[in-house]
Amino acid sequence: MIRALKALPMPIQLMLVSSLAMFLPATHALITHHHEIARSFFYSGTLFLFVSVLVALANAANARPRRAGRASLLSMLAVFLILPMMLALPFDQSLPDTTFFNSWWEMVSSLTTTGGTLYEPARLPGSLHLWRGLVAWMGGFYMLVMAIAVLAPMRLGGFEVFFSGGPSGAPSANAPAADGGAETSERIAHYAMRIAPAYIGLTGALWLGLMMAGDPPLVGFIHAMSTLSTSGISPVGGMAGSSSGLGGEMLIFLFLIPALSRRLWPGGGELRASDKISNDPELRLAAFLVMIVPLFLFLRHWLAALEVKMPADFGAIFRSIWGSLFTSLSFLTTTGFESSGWHDARSWSGLGTPGLILAGLAIIGGGVATTAGGVRLLRVYALLRHGERELDKLIYPTSVAGGGAMARKLRRDGAYISWIFFMLFAISIAVVMMLVSLFGLSFEPATILTIASLSNTGPLASIAADIPLSWATLSEPVKAVFALAMVLGRLETLAIIALFNPEFWRG
């Protein structure tokens, strides 16, 4: 039985898991006496479970696709575009004053861990917030598994910087399992079993910690799922509405660190940029970025007030530094939680809304093959090291750089492919902005919302601009463009381009 389930295509497996997941918000709605919502989720879960079983039985006799790489990428694309239609049905039935398109958009945003929402927190019952957080949590786990099981053997998703050949869609059939030689279904099942205990355990540990810090069980559970999946979904409007206060923010800060490097997850050590964790380039670059933002805001305050004698308010200083640290890490991991002390940080620095800083952090993104989005830290690190090496060669043309084979590879071939990806990301921003501009969106909202979509940082829309932007006020064509941009940001441009690789379509 288990072997037959492992052999099923990933979309069918996700249909089965999603159908079973619908019973959780159904149970919560029943306990909280929202019987209409409970019926919607229970009936939808039962219907889709029955349909999924029928599809699984019908698929059992079919032959497997000849090109696993093509099938895997196409199935990932289908998961993010088509599966949200199934996930949106109970949401749409539970919220009668909305449309199915808006429900589908909401599920795309959740499944891609973007976290943008069309609804005010007070408008949705707790069960619907639970469903949004659960969908995002499943989407984060899905990307953790697929990144190491599918994208890594194909040299995609950030792993292309390790290999001089760049992206490739055809792993050798005789290659070891870690390099893509095993069956795709076997690799997916193997890594899912390795990652699931850590993913579930960390979520449970953070949930328990947040409840001990003062959060209600539902709020703590959703915040825990949102932290591990880096979706930033909150039923109370973020950390400002949370009851856990500073203690809760400190807990979330610690649990955001796994989004900075894949080596912190089981199975992530097979492809790493350094032997020692202290030398990990992603973690070192992330530490520098998270520290430099509070330093900039703090120094700007003193430079601006250099000629003004002001009393030292140590409470304001601490709140400012902590608010900057937490918010910087949150947006660097593309989570989008805003610290309750971020307002103090902005007031302390004298900057009304330093949206450019947060947008820049979101574009850089988190670690390769994690739940975070953006360009990714390893690619930025490769570009920085390449630039550093070029400056050294200008001064010492005959110098020989050290650092080992991996460092040399990152500075040369890794930087080359990273630059290509960065240009593709910039072109994607330009294309999406052009499309939404055709529908009447002005320049500043188009820029912020495009970056929020492609970096999978939905809360950026309400924080980066002087006047908070709302996804709900957009027209349906603009929402559709941004939904596609979320999927593009989640899968990355190189993976979409790899679908047009002739190797996929031969034989």
Side-chain angles (χ1 to χ4, degrees), residues 29-343:
L30 183 64
I31 294 174
T32 55
H33 306 291
H34 291 88
H35 299 292
E36 291 292 335
I37 298 177
R39 278 194 291 268
S40 298
F41 277 95
F42 179 78
Y43 292 157
S44 298
T46 304
L47 172 63
F48 286 124
L49 184 61
F50 179 72
V51 172
S52 301
V53 171
L54 292 180
V55 174
L57 292 174
N59 182 80
N62 293 338
R64 293 179 180 175
R66 299 181 64 182
R67 288 290 180 181
R70 179 190 64 185
S72 299
L73 285 181
L74 286 175
S75 67
M76 292 178 70
L77 186 61
V79 162
F80 287 114
L81 288 177
I82 300 176
L83 186 64
M85 296 181 183
M86 167 182 162
L87 302 174
L89 182 61
F91 188 94
D92 180 64
Q93 295 296 316
S94 302
L95 202 63
D97 56 343
T98 189
T99 63
F100 185 79
F101 176 84
N102 285 343
S103 300
W104 170 81
W105 192 96
E106 193 79 11
M107 292 299 102
V108 170
S109 176
S110 299
L111 191 62
T112 57
T113 71
T114 302
T117 181
L118 304 176
Y119 310 98
E120 293 295 327
R123 182 182 174 187
L124 300 181
S127 302
L128 296 186
H129 283 299
L130 175 61
W131 181 235
R132 293 174 59 233
L134 186 60
V135 169
W137 187 78
M138 293 189 297
F141 178 74
Y142 175 72
M143 282 308 302
L144 281 176
V145 174
M146 298 301 283
I148 193 71
V150 174
L151 298 181
M154 298 170 63
R155 316 311 185 212
L156 294 169
F159 292 105
E160 70 277 357
V161 301
F162 290 106
F163 303 97
S164 58
S168 171
S172 172
N174 298 322
D179 291 334
E183 288 285 345
T184 303
S185 59
E186 294 178 4
R187 294 200 307 274
I188 293 174
H190 170 73
Y191 286 110
M193 294 300 293
R194 291 190 64 182
I195 296 171
Y199 194 70
I200 297 172
L202 288 174
T203 304
L206 180 56
W207 180 25
L208 179 62
L210 289 176
M211 286 195 296
M212 293 176 64
D215 272 340
L218 179 64
V219 175
F221 186 49
I222 295 176
H223 282 177
M225 292 191 295
S226 300
T227 300
L228 269 297
S229 64
T230 66
S231 64
I233 292 174
S234 173
V236 290
M239 304 311 299
S242 174
S243 303
S244 56
L246 182 62
E249 290 186 8
M250 289 183 174
L251 285 171
I252 290 176
F253 185 92
L254 291 176
F255 281 82
L256 283 175
I257 295 177
L260 298 175
S261 176
R262 181 65 197 214
R263 73 186 303 154
L264 301 178
W265 292 97
E270 298 178 7
L271 292 170
R272 59 180 185 264
S274 64
D275 294 328
K276 296 181 180 180
I277 192 171
S278 59
N279 296 328
D280 188 277
E282 292 182 314
L283 294 177
R284 295 176 67 179
L285 179 59
F288 172 78
L289 292 172
V290 170
M291 295 298 295
I292 197 66
V293 172
L295 182 62
F296 167 75
L297 297 178
F298 185 75
L299 290 179
R300 189 187 185 282
H301 167 80
W302 291 109
L303 291 175
L306 192 61
E307 299 179 356
V308 181
K309 186 176 180 180
M310 298 178 61
D313 186 351
F314 294 104
I317 293 174
F318 176 77
R319 288 192 299 270
S320 172
I321 294 176
W322 171 251
S324 302
L325 282 173
F326 179 88
T327 306
S328 298
L329 180 61
S330 177
F331 278 85
L332 183 63
T333 58
T334 68
T335 304
F337 280 139
E338 179 185 5
S339 172
S340 57
W342 179 243
H343 176 74

